[in-house]
């Protein structure tokens, strides 16, 4: 893959904005243990774009950000605009704060029961489907079966998913508007190989494992499994947290990971 000719697209409440020719920037922070946070900027936005950022009654405007290179790009952010500021001038700016659609799961209450034997996989699938959340990955370390059934009464969606994650020895996360369970040991996930020809910029040991900086790689998210190649050594890592930064002049990904 060739790392040049950067591209970026904002789908802002149905309005498609692209770089080039527009100037679009964003920084997306992600973590296994918290919803992602994103700040974005649009230079010289049209009046209709500014208006599209306004909250409609109780609904925040949806926004999706796709970025990468002409040969390969992908979705980095799926969220909603929770705050924006427009600064007029010769080069006016529209600064946007994006939430990771936390309203879908933070306050959702689950009242669901199974009286007969049921798998954790089926329980998680039904609960997520009922609240309209997509499960992108469901890779368990243990395929737990609740022989006597299981019940959730007034439990938050997040608490219910964390219970299932504990029972299946997996990690639950919610990112890009999607929920996922990932095996604590990495499971059978296809790992992304990082070396100096595949985007690696620098890597150093840290308290948690490794701190790594790469060229912009949208595939890297919380929970991603990567293989870091350092000389003849291959180190398998699980991403704990990090950030994507994209602008017309600079684009990179940084993350911290533990050794598997």
């Amino acid at each position: 893959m060739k790392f040049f000719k950067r591209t970026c697209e904002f789908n802002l409440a149905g309005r498609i904005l692209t770089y080039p020719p527009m100037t679009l920037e964003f920084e997306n922070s992600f973590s296994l243990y918290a919803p992602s946070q994103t700040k974005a900027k649009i230079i010289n936005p049209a009046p209709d774009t500014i208006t599209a950022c306004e909250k409609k009654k109780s609904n925040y405007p949806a926004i999706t950000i796709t970025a990468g290179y002409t040969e390969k790009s992908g979705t980095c952010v799926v969220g909603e605009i929770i705050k924006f500021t427009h600064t007029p001038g010769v080069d006016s700016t529209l600064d946007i704060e994006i939430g990771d659609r936390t309203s879908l799961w933070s306050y959702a209450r689950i009242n669901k029961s199974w009286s007969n034997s049921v798998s954790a996989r089926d329980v998680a699938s039904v609960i997520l489907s009922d609240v309209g959340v997509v499960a992108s990955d469901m890779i368990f370390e243990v395929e737990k079966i609740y022989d006597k059934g299981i019940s959730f009464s007034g439990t938050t969606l997040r608490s219910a998913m964390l219970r299932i994650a504990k029972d299946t020895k997996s990690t639950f996360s919610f990112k890009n508007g999607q929920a996922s369970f990932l095996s604590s040991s990495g499971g059978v996930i296809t790992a992304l190989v990082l070396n100096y020809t595949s985007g690696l910029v620098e890597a150093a040991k840290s308290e948690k494992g490794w701190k790594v900086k790469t060229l912009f790689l949208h595939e890297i998210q919380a929970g991603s499994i990567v293989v870091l190649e350092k000389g003849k050594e291959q180190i398998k890592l699980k991403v704990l947290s990090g950030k994507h930064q994209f602008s017309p002049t600079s684009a990179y990904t940084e993350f911290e990971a533990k050794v598997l």
Side-chain angles (χ1 to χ4, degrees), residues 3 19 25 27 40-41 51 53 73 83 98 109 112 115 117-118 120 128 159 162-163 210 233 243-244 259:
F3 298 99
Y19 162 78
E25 303 176 6
E27 182 173 297
K41 180 178 290 187
T51 301
C53 294
S73 63
K83 184 179 179 181
I98 301 168
R109 292 285 171 177
K112 200 83 177 178
S115 57
S117 178
V118 64
L128 290 171
S159 295
L162 290 177
R163 160 74 187 279
W210 285 81
E233 189 178 11
K243 70 176 181 179
H244 297 298
V259 178

Side-chain angles (χ1 to χ4, degrees), residues 225-238:
I225 306 301
V226 302
V227 174
L228 176 64
E229 292 188 340
K230 294 280 288 181
K232 296 182 179 180
E233 189 178 11
Q234 290 192 330
I235 308 160
K236 190 175 183 181
L237 303 173
K238 181 175 182 177

Side-chain angles (χ1 to χ4, degrees), residues 26-213:
F26 72 91
E27 182 173 297
N28 167 243
S29 300
F30 51 85
S31 170
L32 268 179
Y33 311 108
S36 69
Q37 297 181 334
T38 306
K39 292 185 177 181
K41 180 178 290 187
I42 303 171
I43 306 299
N44 292 324
D48 287 350
T49 299
I50 300 170
T51 301
C53 294
E54 297 175 355
K55 183 179 178 181
K56 305 297 190 295
K57 295 184 179 179
S58 60
N59 297 318
Y60 291 101
I63 182 170
T64 300
I65 298 177
T66 301
Y69 309 90
T70 53
E71 293 186 0
K72 188 176 183 180
S73 63
T75 301
C76 303
V77 178
V78 177
E80 52 193 14
I81 297 172
I82 56 177
K83 184 179 179 181
F84 71 94
T85 304
H86 176 236
T87 305
V90 177
D91 286 318
S92 67
T93 60
L94 178 61
D95 291 287
I96 300 171
E97 290 187 24
I98 301 168
D100 192 11
R101 301 186 70 185
T102 55
S103 59
L104 286 175
W105 60 277
S106 293
Y107 306 106
R109 292 285 171 177
I110 306 303
N111 292 286
K112 200 83 177 178
S113 297
W114 287 262
S115 57
N116 299 318
S117 178
V118 64
S119 69
R121 183 175 299 278
D122 287 343
V123 171
S125 297
V126 169
I127 291 176
L128 290 171
S129 177
D130 282 353
V131 297
V133 174
V134 176
S136 58
D137 291 302
M138 201 173 289
I139 302 172
F140 297 144
E141 182 82 10
V142 174
E143 290 291 341
K144 172 72 174 179
I145 301 295
Y146 299 104
D147 294 325
K148 297 181 179 180
I150 188 171
S151 178
F152 299 98
S153 179
T155 306
T156 63
L157 174 61
R158 184 172 186 273
S159 295
M161 295 300 101
L162 290 177
R163 160 74 187 279
I164 293 173
K166 181 179 179 181
D167 292 343
T168 57
K169 295 185 179 180
S170 61
T171 301
F172 173 75
S173 65
F174 188 89
K175 59 180 182 288
N176 288 345
Q178 297 180 327
S180 67
F181 290 90
L182 296 176
S183 165
S184 297
S185 65
V188 294
I189 304 171
T190 301
L192 177 68
V193 177
L194 288 179
N195 53 44
Y196 292 112
T197 62
S198 64
L200 178 64
V201 175
E202 58 187 33
K205 288 185 177 180
S206 67
E207 288 185 6
K208 294 182 180 179
W210 285 81
K211 283 188 175 180
V212 182
K213 182 176 182 178

Side-chain angles (χ1 to χ4, degrees), residues 211-223:
K211 283 188 175 180
V212 182
K213 182 176 182 178
T214 71
L215 299 179
F216 186 90
L217 297 174
H218 75 273
E219 309 97 303
I220 296 176
Q221 293 289 344

